[in-house]
Amino acid sequence: MKKFTLLLVLCSLIVATASAQKRISELTMVYDATVSTGSADPKLADAFDGATTTVYIKGNMSRSEMASALFSSTTIHDSKTGSAVVLREVSGQKLLIRMTPQNWAEKNKRYNGITFTNTSETKTIAGYKCTKATATLNDGTVFTVYYTSDIVPENKDYDYQFRSLNGLPLEYELVQGKLTIKYTVSSINLNPVPASKFDLPKTGYREMTYEESKKTSL
């Protein structure tokens, strides 16, 4: 009888957790960026401070748009094929960079083996209760992420660094050289995302491979 009662309790906990989590196939998120540490290069800080990043997810497709006063960059990723395309605009130059699954893995290899350790701290962001976790990379880099378990994207590959996170990151830090940039969600929309968001431009961009793009300064 005790074993049966324990089994019922465990089943009820599993059902409660599943019902609390809302798995979603489509959403739109807007992150606001702020530079939290200084840099010897003020132009670099200006490029990120006040920037916004908009993330669109629709099934296996994702699109991440970053816009700042100095440049813009859009990444469209297909988790089904593993390939990606980057659209970059700097100083009037427009580049379209195609990435194979191998290129994508190489670009994000620093996030392989990333671990997340929960803390007891919580806070509410954009109306969602978030848990504070410490992320640790293999190279020793440590940063903080606040995530909610209330909504979980079915497409876990939309952001390589958060593939193993059990939830949706609503605030996190990113290190770019000497800068530490904090991204905080300002809005979340669960309405359907237009399929046209993942269309590629047919004109206006100079196309190059990922290997070629690594040789440029853009």
Side-chain angles (χ1 to χ4, degrees):
M1 180 63 70
K2 288 184 177 180
K3 289 183 178 180
F4 182 71
T5 303
L6 179 59
L7 182 60
L8 287 177
V9 171
L10 289 174
C11 288
S12 64
L13 286 174
I14 292 172
V15 171
T17 301
S19 61
Q21 281 192 343
K22 182 178 182 180
R23 297 188 65 81
I24 53 174
S25 60
E26 302 190 47
L27 86 150
T28 303
M29 295 184 293
V30 179
Y31 290 89
D32 295 329
T34 55
V35 176
S36 58
T37 60
S39 169
D41 184 356
K43 288 185 179 180
L44 184 60
D46 291 342
F48 290 96
D49 203 21
T52 60
T53 296
T54 304
V55 177
Y56 303 92
I57 300 176
K58 186 180 184 70
N60 60 287
M61 300 299 297
S62 61
R63 176 185 178 112
S64 178
E65 301 176 348
M66 181 176 183
S68 76
L70 300 182
F71 75 97
S72 65
S73 180
T74 296
T75 300
I76 299 174
H77 180 253
D78 184 343
S79 64
K80 188 174 182 179
T81 65
S83 60
V85 172
V86 177
L87 306 173
R88 191 175 296 166
E89 184 173 354
V90 183
S91 303
Q93 296 192 57
K94 293 184 176 182
L95 300 178
L96 187 154
I97 304 164
R98 296 188 183 274
M99 301 176 68
T100 65
Q102 293 75 25
N103 298 152
W104 183 252
E106 179 189 334
K107 182 178 183 293
N108 292 285
K109 63 182 179 181
R110 72 181 301 234
Y111 298 117
N112 289 335
I114 188 172
T115 60
F116 298 96
T117 304
N118 287 343
T119 71
S120 58
E121 293 184 45
T122 63
K123 71 176 176 179
T124 300
I125 301 174
Y128 293 91
K129 181 180 178 181
C130 296
T131 299
K132 180 181 179 180
T134 300
T136 305
L137 304 184
N138 283 334
D139 64 5
T141 301
V142 176
F143 66 90
T144 297
V145 55
Y146 284 89
Y147 71 95
T148 180
S149 298
D150 293 344
I151 47 178
V152 180
E154 292 179 354
N155 180 0
K156 297 287 288 183
D157 291 325
Y158 82 94
D159 193 324
Y160 199 98
Q161 65 179 322
F162 296 121
R163 291 186 303 165
S164 61
L165 184 67
N166 186 32
L168 189 67
L170 300 191
E171 183 176 286
Y172 63 95
E173 296 172 346
L174 186 64
V175 178
Q176 293 277 357
K178 296 180 180 180
L179 288 180
T180 298
I181 307 144
K182 183 168 71 174
Y183 293 92
T184 305
V185 160
S186 57
S187 67
I188 299 177
N189 189 326
L190 302 182
N191 291 332
V193 176
S196 59
K197 282 292 181 184
F198 309 98
D199 293 340
L200 298 180
K202 293 181 171 57
T203 60
Y205 285 79
R206 179 162 67 92
E207 188 170 331
M208 62 173 57
T209 65
Y210 174 65
E211 295 299 328
E212 291 171 336
S213 71
K214 292 195 297 183
K215 299 175 184 178
T216 72
S217 58
L218 297 177

